[in-house]
Amino acid sequence: MDSNDRVRIIELPKICDPRGNLSFIQNGTHIPFDIARVYWIYDVPGGKFRDGHAFRSQHEFIVALSGSFDVVLNNGTDSVRHHLCRSYYGLYVPPMTWRAIDNFSTNSVALVLSSTLYDEADYIRDFNHYKELAGNGR
Ligand code: TYD
């Protein structure tokens, strides 16, 4: 694994302005992959959660554009909960990291930047299968 490929919070530029603050992400500058796709999760009913999965090759960067939620990451051994609640930073999730999202606040919006186009074949949806693959030197 490249040292660039580690889970971390990445702070984004924040232009503070009495008219309203502004943050941005520019390809090639702020996150460690080229952006191929952007999607967002919204209108989440209270108490709902997104089932966990991992990606074989996809990198992700997740931002709480509005409200808050928790991203729960598991490397096959340890689980770490990241509470995202501000739009001027996000969580970088490298490939082969098990992740689930829960604890959505009312009206939260989760923005996800992805390094690949949508490809169901890139998903690992079975945690035991993930652990087998992750334990084999990736
Ligand atoms: P999915 O990533 O499976 O979400 P979760 O694992 O959190 O349930 O996406 C849900 C559905 O949305 C899935 O059937 C495929 C579709 N989808 C796309 O068509 N394009 C996309 O970029 C994404 C993220 C999902």
Side-chain angles (χ1 to χ4, degrees), residues 37-39 41 50-53 55 99 117-118 120 123 125:
R37 179 166 51 108
V38 179
Y39 63 94
I41 300 165
R50 312 294 294 190
D51 276 337
H53 51 61
F55 296 111
R99 70 108 165 125
L117 300 183
Y118 177 74
E120 180 59 35
Y123 283 70
R125 294 189 183 273

Side-chain angles (χ1 to χ4, degrees), residues 107-119:
N107 290 331
S108 56
V109 179
L111 177 76
V112 185
L113 308 187
S114 168
S115 65
T116 67
L117 300 183
Y118 177 74
D119 176 12

Side-chain angles (χ1 to χ4, degrees), residues 23-136:
S23 289
F24 58 95
I25 300 170
Q26 194 160 278
N27 205 36
T29 308
H30 301 110
I31 57 175
F33 58 85
D34 283 334
I35 301 160
R37 179 166 51 108
V38 179
Y39 63 94
W40 49 98
I41 300 165
Y42 57 100
D43 288 350
V44 180
K48 293 289 178 186
F49 59 92
R50 312 294 294 190
D51 276 337
H53 51 61
F55 296 111
R56 296 170 196 275
S57 63
Q58 188 184 145
H59 302 242
E60 285 188 330
F61 185 68
I62 306 173
V63 182
L65 267 197
S66 178
S68 66
F69 49 83
D70 291 354
V71 182
V72 185
L73 301 183
N74 192 312
N75 62 8
T77 315
D78 303 312
S79 178
V80 179
R81 178 173 290 272
H82 299 266
H83 184 63
L84 300 186
C85 58
R86 297 285 178 209
S87 58
Y88 53 83
Y89 65 78
L91 181 67
Y92 168 64
V93 183
M96 287 305 290
T97 308
W98 189 265
R99 70 108 165 125
I101 309 181
D102 66 14
N103 198 26
F104 288 94
S105 70
T106 306
N107 290 331
S108 56
V109 179
L111 177 76
V112 185
L113 308 187
S114 168
S115 65
T116 67
L117 300 183
Y118 177 74
D119 176 12
E120 180 59 35
D122 198 45
Y123 283 70
I124 304 166
R125 294 189 183 273
D126 179 83
F127 186 60
N128 287 327
H129 185 212
Y130 163 73
K131 280 203 294 188
E132 279 171 25
L133 294 174
N136 285 333

